[in-house]
């Protein structure tokens, strides 16, 4: 019934002014009427990055400015989990099939798994042969996490298989990598057994003054990756 949008004021946006810096909102839009029915924000400097909606309509949001997780519950935006003591830059966020665990990527340290009820958390163990850094987009699929790693070379799409308790990565498969058009993918979404993502967000084409060189960019390219 609703479309949820995470948006943040950053220097790269058109019309940005210094007074906008750090402002971030979650928008709730009614799909049938296309009307904005609610907007949520909190005081301070924030960059609401990724968002996931649970089956009970609770909404979880990652903050890429401070390592915080917010939650919209009973129509209120609340701080749900403070990770300032151990995380750096939160990115993609995902729920398991039972919605008992929440997975969240940290761009420098890997992936945290959090118990929804107790809020206890731990870092997933990664195999030595792969990098835990640079994960942006993250989705859960059939006892595994699909990650878009755009902070490594080459940029890649990786499937990380989890153990039964979802505390450790037991294996991984690089599903796609080293495409010239991957410049650079960021977030992803899952529809049944297919992953969808835009391959070419134009982050690399901003100059030191945060202005976009429009002569270097192409139209957005939407990719579909069949997981089975």
């Amino acid at each position: 019934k609703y479309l949820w949008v995470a948006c943040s004021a950053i220097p790269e946006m058109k019309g940005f002014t210094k007074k906008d810096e750090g402002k971030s909102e979650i928008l709730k839009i009614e799909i049938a009427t296309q009307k904005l029915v609610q907007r949520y924000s909190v005081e301070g400097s924030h960059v609401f990055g990724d968002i996931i909606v649970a089956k009970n309509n609770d909404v979880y949001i990652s903050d890429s400015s401070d390592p915080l997780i917010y939650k919209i519950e009973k129509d209120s935006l609340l701080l749900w989990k403070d990770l300032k003591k151990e995380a750096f830059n939160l990115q993609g966020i995902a729920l398991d099939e039972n919605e008992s665990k929440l997975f969240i990527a940290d761009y420098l340290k890997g992936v945290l798994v959090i118990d929804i009820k107790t809020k206890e958390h731990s870092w997933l163990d990664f195999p030595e042969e792969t990098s835990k850094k640079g994960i942006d987009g993250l989705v859960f699929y059939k006892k595994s996490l699909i990650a878009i790693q755009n902070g490594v070379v080459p940029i890649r799409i990786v499937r990380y298989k989890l153990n039964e308790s979802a505390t450790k990565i037991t294996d991984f498969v690089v599903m796609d990598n080293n495409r010239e058009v991957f410049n650079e993918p960021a977030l992803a979404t899952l529809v049944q057994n297919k992953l969808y993502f835009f391959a070419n967000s134009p982050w690399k084409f901003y100059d030191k003054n945060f202005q976009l060189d429009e002569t270097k960019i192409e139209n957005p390219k939407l990719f579909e990756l069949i997981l089975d």
Side-chain angles (χ1 to χ4, degrees), residues 3-188:
L3 177 69
W4 296 88
V5 183
C7 53
S8 300
I10 56 175
E12 290 85 355
M13 64 184 269
K14 287 188 176 182
F16 175 82
T17 61
K18 197 67 178 176
K19 67 180 179 61
D20 296 324
E21 192 167 20
K23 292 184 178 179
S24 201
E25 287 189 332
I26 303 297
L27 308 181
K28 182 181 181 181
I29 300 168
E30 189 174 50
I31 294 172
T33 63
Q34 299 182 25
K35 289 184 177 180
L36 175 61
V37 295
Q38 189 75 27
R39 56 202 311 161
Y40 306 85
S41 63
V42 290
E43 293 297 321
S45 180
H46 304 279
V47 177
F48 293 154
D50 203 357
I51 188 170
I52 191 165
V53 183
K55 292 172 185 175
N56 66 354
N57 292 319
D58 286 347
V59 181
Y60 296 88
I61 306 116
S62 63
D63 188 339
S64 297
S65 177
D66 275 332
L68 305 169
I69 303 174
Y70 285 88
K71 181 182 180 182
I72 297 175
E73 181 181 16
K74 297 179 181 178
D75 223 26
S76 296
L77 178 61
L78 307 168
L79 176 61
W80 185 73
K81 181 79 173 173
D82 186 335
L83 294 165
K84 288 183 181 179
K85 291 184 178 180
E86 57 183 297
F88 292 93
N89 184 256
L90 301 182
Q91 298 290 335
I93 190 167
L95 289 165
D96 67 353
E97 74 274 22
N98 299 321
E99 299 193 342
S100 62
K101 293 182 174 63
L102 186 142
F103 300 88
I104 189 160
D106 182 283
Y107 210 65
L108 297 180
K109 293 188 67 175
V111 178
L112 269 168
V113 55
I114 305 170
D115 185 284
I116 292 291
K117 287 184 178 180
T118 66
K119 296 188 185 179
E120 293 181 357
H121 68 276
S122 60
W123 293 95
L124 289 182
D125 291 329
F126 275 66
E128 292 184 1
E129 315 92 89
T130 186
S131 173
K132 64 178 69 174
K133 294 184 178 181
I135 296 177
D136 195 338
L138 192 72
V139 301
F140 183 93
Y141 180 71
K142 290 186 177 180
K143 299 292 184 185
S144 63
L145 293 169
I146 313 297
I148 293 182
Q149 285 187 270
N150 59 23
V152 292
V153 179
I155 291 171
R156 63 198 70 162
I157 314 296
V158 184
R159 183 171 184 173
Y160 291 105
K161 297 180 181 178
L162 298 166
N163 61 359
E164 282 300 315
S165 58
T167 57
K168 182 178 180 180
I169 294 167
T170 59
D171 198 4
F172 70 97
V173 177
V174 177
M175 305 193 74
D176 207 339
N177 74 335
N178 211 27
R179 288 180 184 260
E180 187 175 350
V181 72
F182 283 2
N183 188 27
E184 62 187 71
L187 302 181

